[in-house]
Amino acid sequence: MAHILIVEDEPKLARLLADYLENSGYTTTWLDHGNDVIPALRQTSFDLVVLDLMLPGRDGLDICRELRQFSQVPVVMLTARVEEIDRLLGLELGADDYICKPFSPREVVARIKAILRRASGAASGEAGAAPGPGSGPALQIDADSHDARLDGHPLDLTPVEFRLLSTFASAPGRIFSREQLLDHIYDDHRVVTDRTVDSHVKNLRRKLETIRPGDTIRSIYGVGYKLEI
Ligand code: CA
C-alpha cells in the first residue's frame, strides 16, 4: 500500500490527516520540520508527499523546488491562505494539487487517491500505443485510468485539470460559468475562489496548446469558458 509523507508543523492537523489516510489503508510518516524533508526523501521512497507551505526551517516552496530536481513523487501542497494558491500556481513548482486550510480530510483523501491512481497508471505505461492523428475523436478521456489525450498525444494533467477538461468535454460548445466549473472540479468549493478557476483554465489551456496551437478554451467575457476542440 502507498506510503505517504505528511509534512505539517501543526500536530493536531497532521494527526487528523494521518488518521484519515490510515483508515483508507495508507501508511503514513509525519515530519514537522522543513529541514528534515529532503534527507527523508533521499533515504526513503514515498508514494506521495503532503507538504505544508509554512514550516519551521525550510518552507514548502523551497522544499518542492529542490525535491523536483531528483524526484517525481506527487506533491500536494497545503496553504493557509486561498489567495496564495494563485501565486503558487503561477510559480509552476511542479506540485500536483493545492489545498487550502481549513480543509475537509475526506476531500484531501479523495484528491490523494486520484493522484495516486494517475501516478500508477503513468508508471505502468498502460496507455499503450497512441492512436495517430486523425484516428478516433480528437479528445479522448478515460476517467478510470485518468488518461486524457488530444490528437493522440497524452496530456499530463493535474487531477483538477483532468476534472476541468472532463467537464468541458461532457458538453462540447457549452459555455460554463466559473461557478459551474467550481461545482464540478471541487467537492467542497468554499475553499477556492473564481480566480482559482481562471488559473486552472490558464494552465489547462497552455497544456492543450502545446499539442494544438490556437484557441482551445475560449473565454467568454463576463460569462465563463467553453471548449473549442
Ligand atoms: Ca504550517
Side-chain angles (χ1 to χ4, degrees):
M1 201 61 206
H3 188 180
I4 297 174
L5 177 63
I6 300 171
V7 187
E8 169 60 67
D9 57 317
E10 295 168 52
K12 270 190 186 163
L13 200 55
R15 189 65 256 165
L16 180 70
L17 212 46
D19 283 347
Y20 268 83
L21 288 168
E22 283 166 17
N23 284 336
S24 304
Y26 299 111
T27 307
T28 65
T29 295
W30 172 42
L31 293 176
D32 66 354
H33 199 286
N35 293 359
D36 300 335
V37 184
I38 295 293
L41 285 163
R42 288 196 183 274
Q43 200 173 54
T44 310
S45 144
F46 293 97
D47 297 291
L48 185 139
V49 183
V50 178
L51 183 60
D52 188 26
L53 184 62
M54 297 301 288
L55 293 163
R58 303 182 68 176
D59 70 13
L61 285 182
D62 196 26
I63 294 166
C64 197
R65 281 208 184 92
E66 182 171 345
L67 84 86
R68 275 291 170 260
Q69 290 170 19
F70 65 93
S71 167
Q72 286 306 309
V73 65
V75 174
V76 174
M77 198 84 117
L78 301 179
T79 159
R81 289 193 303 139
V82 72
E83 315 85 68
E84 192 70 26
I85 294 182
D86 289 326
R87 190 173 77 84
L88 294 172
L89 281 166
L91 292 176
E92 307 212 355
L93 296 165
D96 294 74
D97 207 348
Y98 297 88
I99 293 172
C100 188
K101 298 176 187 176
F103 50 72
S104 118
R106 282 181 47 211
E107 164 78 2
V108 176
V109 171
R111 293 215 221 164
I112 285 175
K113 276 186 183 159
I115 292 171
L116 288 172
R117 223 172 20 235
R118 194 169 60 99
S120 70
S124 65
E126 67 183 25
S135 67
L139 198 58
Q140 296 169 304
I141 297 175
D142 183 339
D144 291 330
S145 62
H146 262 243
D147 188 54
R149 287 163 184 273
L150 175 59
D151 296 335
H153 301 281
L155 291 159
D156 186 18
L157 304 180
T158 66
V160 168
E161 289 161 6
F162 186 87
R163 288 200 286 272
L164 195 53
L165 184 61
S166 303
T167 303
F168 279 127
S170 69
R174 173 175 157 192
I175 301 170
F176 288 90
S177 69
R178 288 174 177 78
E179 184 66 22
Q180 287 167 332
L181 292 172
L182 278 174
D183 273 332
H184 281 96
I185 62 180
Y186 284 110
D187 295 342
D188 181 354
H189 68 68
R190 288 168 303 174
V191 298
V192 293
T193 67
D194 285 4
R195 290 206 304 128
T196 307
V197 175
D198 294 341
S199 298
H200 286 303
V201 167
K202 208 172 95 197
N203 288 343
L204 175 61
R205 184 192 276 142
R206 188 173 44 74
K207 290 179 181 178
L208 293 170
E209 289 182 359
T210 58
I211 295 170
R212 189 189 279 201
D215 235 1
T216 51
I217 299 173
R218 217 168 107 200
S219 157
I220 313 292
Y221 183 73
V223 187
Y225 293 102
K226 75 175 200 176
L227 184 69
E228 293 201 324
I229 287 176

